[in-house]
Each structure stands twice: as C-alpha cells, then as structure tokens.
C-alpha cells in the first residue's frame, strides 16, 4: 500500500473520521481508521453505529490496506511539515514521509475491521446540508440520555406539506423545528439515534458541498455527497404522537428579550440548588414578570424582567436546565412564553421563527 497526497487534505479527512471512531472500545480496531488504496484512496472509520467513508484526492501508487489508531494518526499529521506527503505500508506498519522527516506508526490487523453496506433502498432524496444540520441542532438537546426507550433517545424526522420536521423529546420536554424545503417525493418517517445524528452533523457541517443525498432502508440511513459517504443505524420504533400534548390554548403569555432571560438564568444557577428549580411569577395586571430561586445553603434571588405580559396571574416552577437548553439554542432576539396553566406545559416560541416550538413540563413545588 502506497500513495501520495496533499497533507492538508489528508488532515481534514482524518479529523472528520476521528470524530466517530470508538474512544474506549474493547475492540481496538474500532479506534482506527482504515486506509484502502486501489484505483482511488479511501479512508474508512466506524463505531458500529455510524460508519464513514471518504475518498481522498491523491496519487495511488501501490494497492493495499492498513489500519492505524485515528488519534495517533491525526496528531502525527498535524505535527508534520511540508505540503505533500507519501504514506506506505512498511513491514506491516504505516510509514509517513514528508519534507520534514519520517514517522512510523504501528498498525492493527485489518481482518477485524467491520464491513458495512449501503442502504438497499434505491430511492434517493436530495436536501440542503444546512437544513439537516440546523434541524438536528435545533432539537437534539431535548432527547433522552437513556436508551431504555430508544425512540426517546432519537431525532424524529418527517416530511409533509413542503416542511421537513425534526423532533426530540425525553417525555419531560419536547423540541420541534420545521423547515421549509422542497424534496422530491415524501421521505419516510425516520428515527436516528441522537448520538448518531450529531456525529453526522459534525461531519457534513465541515464539508464544502451544499446538498446531501439521503437514502433509507429498514435499518439504516445513508448520506452521501461528492467524496463522502455516511451510514447510520436507525431505530425501529414508533415516536410518540406528540401533537396531542401540545396545548391548544393558554391563560398567560409573556414576550421578552432572549438575552435578558439568559442573563437571569445564569444567575439562578447559583441559587437553584441540587434540584435546579426556578420559579416564574407572571402578574399581567401589575405588569410584572419575575424569576426566583432559593437555596438553603446559599440564599435566594428574585429578578424582574421587562416583558409584555397578558392573561391571568400565574406562579409556576421549572427545571432550570430544561429552560436554559432551549433559550441558548435559539437564534432570535425575542421569545414568547405561553403558559397553559398550573401543572400544565409551558410552550416557548421564537418571535422570528414561527416554525419552532418547545414544550416543557412544570415541576411540583
């Protein structure tokens, strides 16, 4: 195995591969990148959940393949001088030659490197890369951290009426983001494990191409563009019928600046204690919107914010993290908080993005 290529291009490819390789795997080969040289130069990596294959522009010299630890390979390349490098298999190890010197990295047997196939369904859908990235990033923080119910540890994707919808929930909160986009034919409803979805986003957000090609079968999703292919496992399950839990009417509403709320939320973290409980107090007749937090060991705080408020008075309690996760993710100046009543969900919306909805359940005092 031997090839020549531009150092910077190889660094970019290995750095993307390093994002998905296993970090603490019992199978050492899963922490490696596999280099295959034939008519082209290909780099592969997988953690058994997500697989990546990238074609590297360069000059193949001798056919063959070799697997080396991704982290060591990347660090070595980043410390290598010169514009072009030559890489070859020498006595079963990887030798890197450049203008600045020569380095040898011990390899791992390629026989145990898992093989992976592309989705069998030939239907292909083309969407803008940023649509997928923004959709996943806009909701993924609301998914469950536990795999006890895999469908809740996933990003749900569906397409209807010209809108691609992304949803995540852990049953205590829910984030939904709809994006207007034209897709030829309706894509199937899909559940991508959140970890996998974020790995995909981490890769495609660094690619130059604007569009990605997506295909599905019953067990996996394939995403490809010019020189890159990504394959991920998908969940075989049913996502909750979440539209049933979104309130249809509200008794109280408050509109305020996002940055003002974020500033107060940062302050409440000091005083909210282990429970991370904070309280919203909305009194429209008095034109008051305030947030309080109390910690027996630290003290208590109460801050009033400027807000346009309407409806009935309400005192209600929430988990600070659930509120802050949403507010931090919004790219807007103003937000609207809609309260359905005591013991009922709060709905947060972006004033400038009517296609985003966030729902969070209150805490019992």
């Amino acid at each position: 195995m031997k090839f020549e290529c531009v150092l910077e291009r190889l660094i970019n490819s290995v750095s993307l591969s390093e994002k998905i390789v296993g970090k603490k795997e019992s199978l050492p080969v899963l922490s490696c990148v596999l280099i295959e040289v034939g008519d082209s130069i290909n780099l592969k990596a997988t953690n058994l959940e997500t697989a990546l294959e990238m074609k590297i522009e360069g000059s193949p010299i001798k056919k063959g393949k070799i697997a080396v630890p991704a982290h060591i390979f990347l660090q070595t390349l980043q410390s290598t001088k010169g514009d072009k490098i030559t890489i070859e298999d020498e006595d079963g190890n990887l030798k890197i030659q450049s203008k600045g010197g020569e380095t040898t990295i011990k390899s791992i047997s390629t026989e145990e490197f898992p093989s992976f196939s592309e989705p069998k369904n030939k239907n292909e859908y083309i969407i803008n890369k940023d649509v997928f990235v923004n959709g996943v990033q806009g909701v993924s923080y609301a998914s469950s951290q536990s795999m006890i119910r895999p469908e809740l540890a996933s990003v749900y994707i569906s397409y209807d009426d010209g809108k691609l919808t992304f949803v995540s929930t852990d049953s205590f909160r829910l984030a939904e983001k709809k994006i207007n986009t034209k897709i030829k034919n309706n894509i199937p409803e899909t559940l991508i494990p959140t970890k996998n979805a974020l790995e995909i986003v981490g890769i495609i957000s660094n690619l130059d191409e604007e569009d990605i090609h997506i295909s599905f079968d019953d067990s996996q999703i394939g995403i490809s563009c010019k020189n890159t292919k990504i394959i991920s496992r998908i969940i075989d399950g049913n996502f909750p019928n979440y539209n049933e839990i979104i309130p249809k009417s509200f008794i109280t509403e408050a509109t305020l600046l996002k940055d003002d709320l974020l500033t107060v939320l940062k302050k409440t973290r000091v005083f909210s204690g282990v429970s991370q409980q904070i309280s919203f107090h909305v009194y429209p007749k008095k034109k008051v919107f305030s947030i309080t937090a109390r910690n027996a060991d630290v003290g208590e705080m109460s801050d009033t914010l400027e807000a346009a408020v309407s409806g009935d008075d309400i005192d209600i309690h929430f988990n600070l993290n659930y509120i802050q996760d949403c507010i931090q993710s919004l790219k807007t100046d103003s937000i609207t908080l809609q309260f359905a009543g005591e013991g009922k969900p709060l709905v947060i919306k972006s004033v400038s993005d009517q296609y985003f909805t966030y729902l969070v359940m209150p805490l019992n005092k």
Side-chain angles (χ1 to χ4, degrees):
M1 185 279 297
K2 186 176 181 180
F3 68 93
E4 294 178 344
C5 69
V6 175
L7 174 61
E8 184 179 358
R9 290 175 181 166
L10 185 57
I11 289 176
N12 292 339
S13 297
V14 176
S15 63
L16 292 178
S17 301
E18 203 262 345
K19 292 178 182 293
I20 69 164
V21 297
K23 300 301 188 290
K24 296 180 180 179
E25 297 289 350
S26 56
L27 193 61
V29 75
L30 293 181
S31 66
C32 294
V33 291
L34 178 70
I35 305 169
E36 290 184 333
V37 179
D39 295 332
S40 60
I41 307 163
N42 296 308
L43 197 68
K44 296 182 178 181
T46 183
N47 54 25
L48 298 182
E49 290 279 331
T50 306
L52 170 67
E53 180 177 351
M54 303 189 76
K55 184 180 291 185
I56 302 168
E57 294 182 12
S59 302
I61 299 173
K62 182 180 177 183
K63 294 183 178 181
K65 59 183 178 180
I66 193 169
V68 291
H71 183 61
I72 295 173
F73 190 29
L74 178 60
Q75 283 193 322
T76 302
L77 292 174
Q78 289 173 334
S79 303
T80 299
K81 297 179 180 179
D83 296 327
K84 292 185 177 181
I85 60 171
T86 300
I87 291 182
E88 64 180 313
D89 178 354
E90 185 178 82
D91 299 326
N93 293 316
L94 185 76
K95 185 168 75 172
I96 303 171
Q97 292 177 296
S98 69
K99 185 177 180 181
E102 182 178 297
T103 305
T104 299
I105 301 175
K106 287 188 176 183
S107 67
I108 293 178
S109 172
T110 61
E111 293 180 1
E112 296 181 351
F113 195 88
S115 60
F116 44 87
S117 58
E118 298 180 35
K120 298 179 178 62
N121 193 329
K122 294 183 179 180
N123 290 333
E124 190 174 75
Y125 310 88
I126 302 174
I127 68 170
N128 182 272
K129 173 187 70 177
D130 291 337
V131 168
F132 189 90
V133 170
N134 293 335
V136 170
Q137 290 180 337
V139 304
S140 56
Y141 56 86
S143 68
S144 174
Q145 300 298 308
S146 169
M147 288 300 294
I148 295 176
R149 294 182 61 187
E151 69 276 12
L152 299 187
S154 304
V155 176
Y156 168 74
I157 303 175
S158 64
Y159 183 74
D160 184 51
D161 194 26
K163 296 181 182 64
L164 193 61
T165 301
F166 298 80
V167 189
S168 286
T169 182
D170 61 4
S171 77
F172 299 103
R173 50 162 170 188
L174 178 144
E176 177 196 63
K177 187 172 182 64
K178 295 182 178 181
I179 302 176
N180 284 321
T181 187
K182 291 183 179 180
I183 301 177
K184 193 174 182 180
N185 301 322
N186 282 352
I187 68 171
E189 296 181 7
T190 305
L191 284 167
I192 307 177
T194 303
K195 177 179 176 293
N196 301 25
L198 291 173
E199 288 172 345
I200 292 170
V201 164
I203 294 168
I204 67 173
S205 60
N206 286 284
L207 300 179
D208 294 331
E209 290 78 11
E210 291 186 2
D211 293 332
I212 56 175
H213 298 247
I214 300 179
S215 58
F216 303 86
D217 62 21
D218 293 337
S219 61
Q220 57 187 6
I221 178 175
I223 296 176
S224 63
C225 50
K226 184 179 178 182
N227 292 318
T228 304
K229 294 180 181 178
I230 308 166
I231 299 169
S232 168
R233 179 177 69 89
I234 58 178
I235 299 296
D236 180 15
N238 296 315
F239 198 72
N241 185 5
Y242 65 91
N243 286 304
E244 293 183 350
I245 65 171
I246 298 177
K248 303 299 186 292
S249 61
F250 303 93
I251 66 166
T252 309
E253 184 171 295
T255 300
L256 64 160
L257 293 175
K258 180 192 73 173
D259 289 345
D260 288 351
L261 180 55
L262 273 178
T263 299
V264 175
L265 291 178
K266 289 178 182 178
K267 182 178 178 181
T268 62
R269 184 164 296 280
V270 179
F271 296 92
S272 56
V274 177
S275 68
Q276 293 294 289
Q277 177 176 301
I278 61 172
S279 302
F280 288 165
H281 311 279
V282 189
Y283 308 138
K285 292 179 181 178
K286 297 180 181 179
K287 298 182 180 180
V288 170
F289 180 95
S290 65
I291 300 177
T292 62
R294 180 179 294 114
N295 184 332
D297 297 324
V298 178
E300 59 185 272
M301 57 79 64
S302 176
D303 276 24
T304 299
L305 291 81
E306 289 188 12
V309 293
S310 61
D312 301 334
D313 291 354
I314 189 169
D315 298 289
I316 194 165
H317 320 286
F318 295 97
N319 181 294
L320 166 62
N321 294 321
Y322 288 177
I323 302 294
Q324 197 169 43
D325 285 348
C326 167
I327 306 303
Q328 289 178 154
S329 74
L330 295 177
K331 299 174 182 178
T332 182
D333 292 329
S334 301
I335 58 172
T336 298
L337 309 182
Q338 297 175 317
F339 301 88
E342 186 176 346
K344 296 180 180 179
L346 161 68
V347 171
I348 300 177
K349 288 183 174 289
S350 164
V351 171
S352 59
D353 182 4
Q354 295 304 306
Y355 292 131
F356 173 81
T357 300
Y358 184 78
L359 179 149
V360 56
M361 297 301 295
L363 298 174
N364 294 323
K365 187 171 181 180

